């Protein structure tokens, strides 16, 4: 893969997934990402024992691996004066400082922008937060389930009104991964700006702003019209007004999603694929408006046709349908999706237990059609000594820092 960030060093002082995910993207792109962790505890996420009821193996923990692959881990106690001085020394060699620490913590630990810029005035300072770095709640923490999913309107919008309440976020680190990609893109733009103007900027991405951008079409519509979008209860049938848009159940409980927004040119094509070619000659469906005006009748015909065959049958049968459609797949199904695999959406990294390689998801950007080749995520503090020697510290200094507990 073209390593578009080769030569860029990122100093990451962050935990959990949201901001570290940005570091993983930059590492995929070739940056040298130095992940600072507590010398005893490591990243707080390393302490997670289970995820959605599944026990985690610390040597095969994909929750840590996915947002930390390709980095180097250096164990530094940033609460100590010696540790803080070491951060400043690393910052002098870095292009980007990346953090998700709250403002009060950054001040207490002397890691805020003025402290880091005192060491390196030319460094890009990137912050990830729950609710943004301005306003009354800038010092309030949060996770993606709170700031992105719940407060960001996605829980409400995704839950049918008839059910009451709201769905919990269905995927771990859902908003974190999206927000991390935004941070990585912002850093790329900031590096380009610095290259052109010589000016290093501060940049902010919040989980709340991430949800606003993701739901922007619905938010703008709600503000403009007063109509607030909300998921409907699942049925086998069409969305009101267009029978070629909806979820249809197969004979074995699978689901086929149709999303042919302009059905007119595809009426005969779809009906022939569904084995009801005679419906294409039904006068009720003639002309560009017929299928829309009689959408309920057409929806019933489509639902009955799809219900006669299995999910596997329709997966093959609809391959030649020229309109837009998709299989409704589980996350595990994706591992066998031929089109996804043809586009290198899975990568493999060495597992910490020496067993079979771990399969991780590549970031969405691909350069020159080339797959990502990433190293595994580091063990906590794995590179402390080697990196500090590379930075220019003498062995005696490293030993003294160890003795004080400032490093691992």
């Amino acid at each position: 893969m073209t390593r578009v960030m080769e030569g860029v060093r990122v100093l990451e002082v962050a935990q959990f997934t949201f901001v570290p995910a940005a570091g993983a993207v930059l590492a995929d792109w070739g940056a040298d990402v130095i992940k600072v962790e507590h010398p005893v505890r490591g990243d707080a996420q390393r302490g997670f024992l289970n995820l959605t009821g599944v026990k985690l193996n610390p040597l095969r923990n994909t929750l840590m691996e996915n947002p930390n692959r390709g980095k180097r881990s250096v164990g530094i106690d940033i609460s100590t004066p010696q540790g803080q001085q070491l951060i400043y020394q690393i910052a002098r060699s870095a292009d980007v400082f990346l953090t998700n620490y709250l403002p009060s913590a950054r001040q207490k630990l002397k890691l805020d922008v003025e402290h880091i810029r005192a060491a390196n005035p030319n460094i890009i300072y990137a912050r990830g937060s729950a609710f943004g770095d301005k306003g009354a709640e800038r010092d309030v923490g949060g996770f993606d389930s709170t700031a992105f999913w719940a407060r960001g309107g996605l829980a409400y919008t995704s839950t049918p009104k008839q059910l009451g309440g709201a769905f919990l976020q269905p995927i771990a680190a859902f908003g974190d991964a999206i927000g991390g990609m935004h941070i990585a893109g912002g850093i790329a733009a900031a590096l380009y700006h610095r290259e052109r103007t010589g000016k290093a900027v501060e940049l902010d991405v919040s989980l709340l702003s991430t949800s606003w951008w993701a739901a922007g079409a619905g938010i703008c519509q709600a503000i403009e019209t007063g109509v607030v979008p909300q998921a409907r209860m699942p049925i086998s049938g069409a969305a009101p007004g267009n029978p070629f848009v909806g979820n249809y159940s197969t004979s074995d409980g699978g689901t086929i999603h149709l999303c042919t927004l302009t059905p007119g040119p595809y009426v005969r094509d779809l009906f022939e694929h569904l084995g009801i070619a005679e419906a294409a000659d039904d006068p009720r469906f003639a002309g560009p408006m017929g299928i829309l005006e009689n959408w309920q009748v057409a929806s019933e015909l489509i639902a009955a046709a799809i219900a006669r065959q299995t999910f596997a049958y329709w997966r093959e049968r609809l391959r030649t349908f020229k309109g837009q459609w998709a299989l409704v797949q589980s996350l595990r199904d994706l591992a066998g999706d031929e089109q996804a695999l043809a586009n290198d959406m899975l990568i493999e990294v060495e597992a910490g237990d020496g067993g079979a390689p771990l399969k991780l998801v590549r970031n969405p950007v691909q350069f020159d059609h080339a797959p990502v080749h990433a190293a595994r995520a580091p063990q906590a503090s794995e590179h402390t000594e080697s990196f500090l020697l590379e930075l220019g510290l003498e062995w005696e200094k490293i030993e003294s820092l160890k003795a004080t507990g400032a490093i691992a």
Side-chain angles (χ1 to χ4, degrees), residues 284-356:
R284 291 174 296 180
F285 307 141
M289 296 304 296
I291 194 74
L292 301 179
E293 291 171 353
N294 295 283
W295 68 270
Q296 289 174 299
V297 176
S299 173
E300 291 169 2
L301 289 173
I302 295 169
I306 290 179
R308 285 194 283 268
Q309 299 288 350
T310 66
F311 184 76
Y313 173 87
W314 292 118
R315 179 172 54 206
E316 299 306 316
R317 175 67 176 163
L318 291 173
R319 284 184 187 274
T320 53
F321 171 52
K322 294 182 176 60
Q324 296 72 44
W325 69 282
L327 306 167
V328 174
Q329 300 189 120
S330 74
L331 298 184
R332 188 169 183 179
D333 292 334
L334 299 183
D337 188 309
E338 295 176 359
Q339 182 63 21
L341 297 178
N343 284 276
D344 311 302
M345 293 186 191
L346 278 181
I347 63 175
E348 290 188 351
V349 300
E350 174 191 357
D353 64 356

Side-chain angles (χ1 to χ4, degrees), residues 58-330:
L59 297 177
R60 301 186 66 86
N61 183 357
T62 54
L63 186 65
M64 277 299 298
E65 289 285 339
N66 212 47
N68 290 294
R69 76 278 191 101
K71 303 177 185 178
R72 294 193 280 178
S73 174
V74 178
I76 302 174
D77 186 346
I78 57 177
S79 69
T80 67
Q82 300 100 315
Q84 292 159 7
Q85 289 302 316
L86 198 51
I87 291 293
Y88 303 149
Q89 187 170 349
I90 300 171
R92 293 186 191 102
S93 73
D95 298 282
V96 179
F97 184 83
L98 180 59
T99 189
N100 59 5
Y101 277 61
L102 292 171
S104 57
R106 297 197 303 266
Q107 283 293 315
K108 180 180 178 181
L109 298 169
K110 297 182 174 59
L111 297 177
D112 220 336
V113 61
E114 66 269 22
H115 308 109
I116 300 300
R117 287 268 174 86
N120 181 356
N122 205 35
I123 201 167
I124 291 160
Y125 194 94
R127 290 175 292 249
S129 63
F131 303 110
D133 200 53
K134 298 188 291 185
E137 295 178 69
R138 68 186 293 262
D139 210 23
V140 175
F143 293 106
D144 61 339
S145 66
T146 61
F148 170 83
W149 181 254
R151 186 162 176 176
L154 303 182
Y156 177 91
T157 305
S158 300
T159 307
K161 185 176 182 179
Q162 298 93 315
L163 293 180
F167 286 135
L168 290 172
Q169 181 173 290
I171 303 170
F174 189 20
D176 293 340
I178 301 169
M181 193 72 213
H182 296 338
I183 294 173
I187 287 171
L191 287 166
Y192 179 68
H193 178 74
R194 190 182 68 176
E195 181 71 19
R196 292 187 61 211
T197 68
K199 182 182 178 183
V201 299
E202 301 173 46
L203 70 94
D204 289 282
V205 175
S206 71
L207 288 165
L208 185 61
S209 70
T210 297
S211 67
W212 275 60
W213 180 247
I219 293 171
C220 296
Q221 173 187 302
I223 293 170
E224 176 65 21
T225 68
V227 178
V228 181
Q230 193 168 9
R232 297 182 176 89
M233 290 290 287
I235 61 168
S236 182
N242 185 348
F244 283 29
V245 175
N247 289 331
Y248 290 91
S249 299
T250 65
S251 63
D252 55 352
T255 302
I256 302 298
H257 174 64
L258 298 181
C259 190
T260 306
L261 298 180
T262 53
Y266 304 100
V267 170
R268 183 169 299 279
D269 188 15
L270 181 61
F271 286 159
E272 288 179 352
H273 275 83
L274 297 181
I276 50 173
E278 66 281 2
D281 297 316
D282 188 318
R284 291 174 296 180
F285 307 141
M289 296 304 296
I291 194 74
L292 301 179
E293 291 171 353
N294 295 283
W295 68 270
Q296 289 174 299
V297 176
S299 173
E300 291 169 2
L301 289 173
I302 295 169
I306 290 179
R308 285 194 283 268
Q309 299 288 350
T310 66
F311 184 76
Y313 173 87
W314 292 118
R315 179 172 54 206
E316 299 306 316
R317 175 67 176 163
L318 291 173
R319 284 184 187 274
T320 53
F321 171 52
K322 294 182 176 60
Q324 296 72 44
W325 69 282
L327 306 167
V328 174
Q329 300 189 120
S330 74

Side-chain angles (χ1 to χ4, degrees), residues 31-45:
D32 179 20
V33 181
I34 308 303
K35 179 180 180 66
V36 173
E37 302 190 61
H38 189 275
V40 177
R41 300 186 299 271
D43 185 320
Q45 193 158 264

